[in-house]
Amino acid sequence: MKAGDTETRDQADEHLQIQVPAVTRHDLGIRAAETREPIRVIVLRALKAYGVTVPEEAISDRRKRRRA
């Protein structure tokens, strides 16, 4: 990382790709539809509940909200 970068290593998002059982992916999709949140938010909340360090600001929907 360059000295002039505004994000520190702890704040920057990293790409993580995993494979999960189809039934797990299905349940995540259902939960996402029910809560109207992205799967990313659901997984980050679950990781935090498991004791993994997850910054609070990372647990948010990064998609722009549309006006009604």
Side-chain angles (χ1 to χ4, degrees):
M1 212 171 254
K2 298 177 189 173
D5 286 349
T6 57
E7 289 185 321
T8 66
R9 183 170 294 222
D10 291 339
Q11 295 171 333
D13 283 348
E14 297 270 339
H15 183 76
L16 174 66
Q17 184 174 354
I18 64 168
Q19 290 181 318
V20 296
V23 66
T24 303
R25 173 59 177 88
H26 180 76
D27 282 353
L28 284 169
I30 290 172
R31 176 74 57 97
E34 290 173 347
T35 62
R36 298 181 56 124
E37 296 176 317
I39 290 174
R40 175 184 184 273
V41 169
I42 294 166
V43 170
L44 287 175
R45 279 199 186 115
L47 288 170
K48 186 170 185 169
Y50 188 70
V52 175
T53 302
V54 180
E56 197 61 40
E57 62 272 7
I59 304 175
S60 64
D61 188 347
R62 298 183 300 181
R63 299 176 296 184
K64 293 183 180 180
R65 301 242 183 228
R66 293 188 214 171
R67 293 183 193 202

